[in-house]
């Protein structure tokens, strides 16, 4: 607690002159703006005190004036820019080696690195660590919504980023979070129109630092490349490529029941080597879950491969051309894919054009940009929460 006077110290003679001037004419004291000044300095005025000041303290009969003093206190809360908040990113990926094969794991780590570059304190949790007691000290819990329904934390600010499986997300779940984002340009608008909780478009981003067009020489790698696990199904992109008699190379796990072992080059590629594969491939294949395709949730792989300047063939999804231009071409069946494979130079831009477009993708869709937006939204929400009664008092 501090007390401050609105006037500076003055010599007795100066005080006598000032008081004489006030008595001799009706003096209008200008509006006091010091409260505003205190607020902008991180303080607030909690009261006003009065103190009588004599021109000559040793003479009780001397002239005196009544000075106002403002009582101020420091405002507790967020007053840094940006504040260093404590975050947890919650993923649906399992712990251990199996989780290393999940795209969610690498997505979360890339986002965490970007948040830390912006001054935040970040932990990444697998689904096995979801109930650790130390979450009670977090300011923000950000759920990367995949397969799992995650209950909001009772004390943290709860944010959710839906990056896949939108059919699994209910209206009640959306409304239980403080902020919701979706890796789709159209789905948030649909959720508002249908009366669900308003959410914000927040597309994915290149998830690997190795995603640049200079990681490889075009057309020196696999003719047709797919990097991904089977997920226990004969994925559309791979099945269509085989029907189109493509010279296919697959890197990923759990393909034994679907593919000739000669087609599978490895059970997985180190994270920092994927960019080189994409940049050197003839064509990179991609596909989406049915609900992601319907609701325009663009795959992370699209951003990754596009940042490498790759030619990309994928199942049709709304928003492809607006986001990636001619780097990505849709195919509906094997005849479409055959056309793209046999005439890639006609269907896709040349190497220099693709490289220029890749650099634009990198500039427009970085995790640093996504992190800056999340931090700004979190700070705004926490400041608003400070101005409201606490949950326990409601």
């Amino acid at each position: 607690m501090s007390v401050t006077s609105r006037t500076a110290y003055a010599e007795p003679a100066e005080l006598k002159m000032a008081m004489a001037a006030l008595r001799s004419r009706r003096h209008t004291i200008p509006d006091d703006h010091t409260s505003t000044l205190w607020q902008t300095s991180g303080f607030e005025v909690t009261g006003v005190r009065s103190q009588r000041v004599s021109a000559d303290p040793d003479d009780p009969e001397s002239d005196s004036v009544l000075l106002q003093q403002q009582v101020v206190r420091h405002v507790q809360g967020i007053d840094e820019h940006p504040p260093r908040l404590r975050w947890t990113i919650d993923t649906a990926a399992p712990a251990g080696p199996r989780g290393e094969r999940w795209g969610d794991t690498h997505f979360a780590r890339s986002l965490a690195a970007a948040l830390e570059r912006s001054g935040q304190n970040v932990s990444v949790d697998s689904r096995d660590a979801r109930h650790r007691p130390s979450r009670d000290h977090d300011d923000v819990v950000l759920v990367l919504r995949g397969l799992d329904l995650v209950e909001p934390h009772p004390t943290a600010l709860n944010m959710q980023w839906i990056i896949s499986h939108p059919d699994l997300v209910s209206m009640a779940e959306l409304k239980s979070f403080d902020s919701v984002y979706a890796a789709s340009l159209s789905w948030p608008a649909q959720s508002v129109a249908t009366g669900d909780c308003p959410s914000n478009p927040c597309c994915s981003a290149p998830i690997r630092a190795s995603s640049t067009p200079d990681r490889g020489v075009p057309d020196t790698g696999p003719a047709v490349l797919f990097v991904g696990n089977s997920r226990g199904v004969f994925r559309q992109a791979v099945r269509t490529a085989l029907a189109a008699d493509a010279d296919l190379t697959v890197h990923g796990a759990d393909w034994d029941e679907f593919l000739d072992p000669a087609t599978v080059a490895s059970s997985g590629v180190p994270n920092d080597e994927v960019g080189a594969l994409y940049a050197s491939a003839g064509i990179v294949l991609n596909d989406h879950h049915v609900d992601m395709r319907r609701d325009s949730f663009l795959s992370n792989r699209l951003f990754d491969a596009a940042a490498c300047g790759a030619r990309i063939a994928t199942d049709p999804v709304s928003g492809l051309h607006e986001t990636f231009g001619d780097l990505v071409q849709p195919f509906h069946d094997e005849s479409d894919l055959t056309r793209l494979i046999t005439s890639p130079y006609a269907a896709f831009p040349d190497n220099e054009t693709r490289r220029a477009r890749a650099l634009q993708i990198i500039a427009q869709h970085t995790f640093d940009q996504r992190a800056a937006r999340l931090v700004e939204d979190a700070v705004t929400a926490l400041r608003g929460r400070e101005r409201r009664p606490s949950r326990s008092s409601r």
Side-chain angles (χ1 to χ4, degrees):
M1 184 98 38
S2 302
V3 179
T4 182
S5 173
R6 291 186 300 174
T7 61
Y9 291 114
E11 296 298 326
E14 295 174 325
L15 285 173
K16 289 180 180 179
M17 292 176 60
M19 287 185 286
L22 288 173
R23 283 194 297 269
S24 66
R25 54 194 168 100
R26 297 183 181 275
H27 182 79
T28 302
I29 300 176
D31 292 338
D32 178 30
H33 298 291
T34 53
S35 295
T36 303
L37 293 175
W38 281 117
Q39 291 169 8
T40 59
S41 301
F43 293 83
E44 69 175 354
V45 178
T46 60
V48 178
R49 293 176 181 174
S50 298
Q51 180 181 0
R52 186 167 294 280
V53 178
S54 298
D56 184 356
D58 296 326
D59 181 4
E61 301 299 325
S62 66
D63 287 339
S64 63
V65 291
L66 196 64
L67 299 182
Q68 281 190 336
Q69 298 172 317
Q70 292 180 335
V71 181
V72 300
R73 70 178 180 88
H74 183 260
V75 178
Q76 300 298 318
I78 299 173
D79 54 14
E80 306 169 86
H81 184 74
R84 185 173 178 83
L85 302 176
R86 177 167 170 157
W87 296 64
T88 284
I89 301 177
D90 182 295
T91 76
R98 185 163 167 256
E100 293 298 314
R101 301 203 302 258
W102 283 51
D104 297 38
T105 299
H106 301 292
F107 187 106
R109 288 175 183 167
S110 295
L111 179 57
L115 286 168
E116 288 176 344
R117 285 192 294 272
S118 72
Q120 307 304 291
N121 187 322
V122 190
S123 298
V124 176
D125 281 354
S126 67
R127 65 187 182 209
D128 307 275
R130 188 165 290 153
H131 301 293
R132 59 176 171 82
S134 53
R135 276 200 184 182
D136 292 343
H137 303 290
D138 288 339
D139 298 299
V140 185
V141 174
L142 172 61
V143 175
L144 296 183
R145 181 56 156 100
L147 294 170
D148 297 345
L149 170 63
V150 180
E151 292 292 331
H153 193 278
T155 60
L157 179 75
N158 291 279
M159 307 175 83
Q160 179 166 256
W161 191 351
I162 305 167
I163 60 175
S164 65
H165 303 289
D167 274 359
L168 298 179
V169 183
S170 68
M171 180 176 65
E173 178 183 350
L174 289 173
K175 291 182 176 180
S176 69
F177 282 81
D178 297 297
S179 301
V180 179
Y181 306 86
S184 166
L185 297 177
S186 61
W187 189 83
Q190 294 170 10
S191 72
V192 174
T194 58
D196 293 351
C197 177
S199 56
N200 308 289
C202 194
C203 288
S204 300
I207 64 174
R208 295 177 174 89
S210 61
S211 293
T212 70
D214 298 325
R215 285 301 309 276
V217 179
D219 300 312
T220 61
V224 180
L225 172 69
F226 183 83
V227 179
N229 304 320
S230 76
R231 302 176 182 154
V233 297
F234 200 173
R235 294 181 63 160
Q236 180 192 7
V238 173
R239 185 176 65 248
T240 306
L242 293 178
D245 199 26
D247 181 10
L248 176 65
T249 298
V250 173
H251 290 268
D254 306 322
W255 286 103
D256 295 349
E257 64 178 297
F258 303 110
L259 297 177
D260 184 328
T263 303
V264 183
S266 75
S267 61
V269 183
N271 197 47
D272 60 356
E273 295 179 14
V274 176
L277 272 175
Y278 286 156
S280 62
I283 287 181
V284 174
L285 296 178
N286 180 70
D287 60 15
H288 296 82
H289 291 286
V290 173
D291 55 347
M292 292 180 66
R293 181 169 62 246
R294 182 199 63 227
D295 292 328
S296 305
F297 278 74
L298 299 176
S299 163
N300 298 341
R301 187 184 295 103
L302 289 174
F303 288 89
D304 235 358
C308 295
R311 306 181 188 95
I312 308 165
T314 188
D315 46 353
V317 180
S318 175
L320 288 176
H321 186 76
E322 294 86 342
T323 306
F324 304 106
D326 294 336
L327 287 181
V328 180
Q329 298 290 341
F331 66 88
H332 294 81
D333 51 33
E334 59 266 26
S335 63
D336 276 346
L337 187 55
T338 299
R339 172 181 56 81
L340 296 175
I341 292 170
T342 56
S343 304
Y345 300 105
F348 294 92
D350 60 34
N351 291 349
E352 285 304 312
T353 302
R354 295 202 317 277
R355 184 181 186 279
R357 182 58 183 145
L359 295 177
Q360 292 176 351
I361 294 291
I362 293 171
Q364 295 169 1
H365 300 282
T366 67
F367 268 114
D368 288 309
Q369 291 168 331
R370 305 297 189 260
R373 176 180 178 184
L374 292 171
V375 170
E376 180 180 359
D377 289 355
V379 170
T380 299
L382 288 171
R383 282 177 173 158
R385 181 176 286 184
E386 287 178 347
R387 292 191 289 267
R388 297 195 300 268
S390 65
R391 293 180 181 180
S392 61
S393 64
R394 291 178 188 174

